[in-house]
Amino acid sequence: MRRLYQNLSLVFFSASLAAKVSGLSTKVSNNNSNSHHLTSRRNWIGKLVTAASATYTTNPPSPAVAQQEVQELPIDLRRYTALAPLGDANTSTGNKLTGLSMDSIASRLSHDLVDGSTGKGGYFISGDISTEIFRDNCEFTDPTNSVSSLAKYQKALTILFNPEQSFVELVTPLEIDVPKREITGRIRSGGVLKLPWNPRISSYESTIKWKIDDDGLIESQIQQWSIPASQALRETFTPSF
């Protein structure tokens, strides 16, 4: 297991270092186009895959390790993704809608999860999220990533899945725990990633918990998957053609 963690750490570190060397992780001037932002981030993803291929080709894990599935990456490794060129973590996402009831927040989340804030598709596959109900420094955690920035999280979602070939559906209605100021839910999702080899992520379920602060804004989102993190990473590097 430690060998696999070391290999994964090397993959993410190599890609992050490559991005820094090539200048992809520096701030992009305001007069650059959105397409340049997307190209830079896709280049970073390409470097990540190249590093992954080289690592596993030259230093493959033993058969015993390869048979083990990693449920989630260590928290320090998940934070490597914050080095990706996704903009300034402190970027404001606009005005906030404070004072909403827990029921109202749950209703907004239910809509965003399936259709997106403006109808572009569930926010996990499109980035179409109601930024006004999240804190700008909201912490987003899943088995492979951890970032405390709404702006960076939203940008990451916009370049991850192809909404036209992906889906999100609610498995059960969201549940509200008023005393704990928590909302929980379960979704089923899957689809095709925006990468040249069109990797397909098979259908899986996620359990999500949103924590609401005293102002009525979402301060954290924790997501757990029904598939191991190692399977998700493996499918990311597997062409669908």
Side-chain angles (χ1 to χ4, degrees), residues 11-27:
V11 168
F12 280 87
F13 178 77
S14 298
S16 300
L17 181 60
K20 280 183 173 291
V21 170
S22 62
L24 295 180
S25 61
T26 60
K27 294 182 179 179

Side-chain angles (χ1 to χ4, degrees), residues 16-190:
S16 300
L17 181 60
K20 280 183 173 291
V21 170
S22 62
L24 295 180
S25 61
T26 60
K27 294 182 179 179
V28 180
S29 60
N30 292 332
N31 61 352
N32 283 345
S33 67
N34 185 55
S35 61
H36 177 75
H37 285 265
L38 292 176
T39 300
S40 296
R41 292 193 290 273
R42 284 170 182 156
N43 285 344
W44 185 89
I45 293 173
K47 292 177 185 295
L48 171 62
V49 175
T50 300
S53 300
T55 298
Y56 285 101
T57 299
T58 60
N59 190 26
S62 66
V65 171
Q67 291 176 1
Q68 299 182 51
E69 294 286 8
V70 179
Q71 296 301 316
E72 60 182 30
L73 302 183
I75 191 65
D76 288 340
L77 179 54
R78 286 183 247 178
R79 289 175 178 145
Y80 271 122
T81 55
L83 298 176
L86 297 175
D88 187 350
N90 298 317
T91 299
S92 172
T93 58
N95 295 330
K96 301 302 176 182
L97 191 58
T98 59
L100 290 178
S101 67
M102 297 285 286
D103 286 333
S104 295
I105 297 172
S107 178
R108 294 285 294 270
L109 285 172
S110 295
H111 178 267
D112 286 12
L113 284 169
V114 177
D115 299 315
S117 177
T118 63
K120 297 178 182 178
Y123 78 77
F124 278 104
I125 60 171
S126 69
D128 190 15
I129 188 172
S130 294
T131 56
E132 64 269 21
I133 64 174
F134 288 80
R135 287 170 50 164
D136 280 338
N137 64 346
C138 180
E139 182 175 9
F140 299 90
T141 304
D142 67 32
T144 62
N145 297 281
S146 180
V147 62
S148 296
S149 169
L150 175 57
K152 297 187 76 170
Y153 178 71
Q154 183 182 32
K155 286 183 179 180
L157 294 180
T158 63
I159 65 167
L160 187 59
F161 279 93
N162 181 340
E164 296 180 356
Q165 296 179 281
S166 307
F167 74 95
V168 180
E169 59 188 20
L170 276 173
V171 176
T172 58
L174 300 187
E175 297 181 359
I176 302 172
D177 188 327
V178 175
K180 291 184 177 181
R181 300 192 63 78
E182 292 178 354
I183 298 173
T184 57
R186 192 168 184 83
I187 62 172
R188 183 179 298 111
S189 59

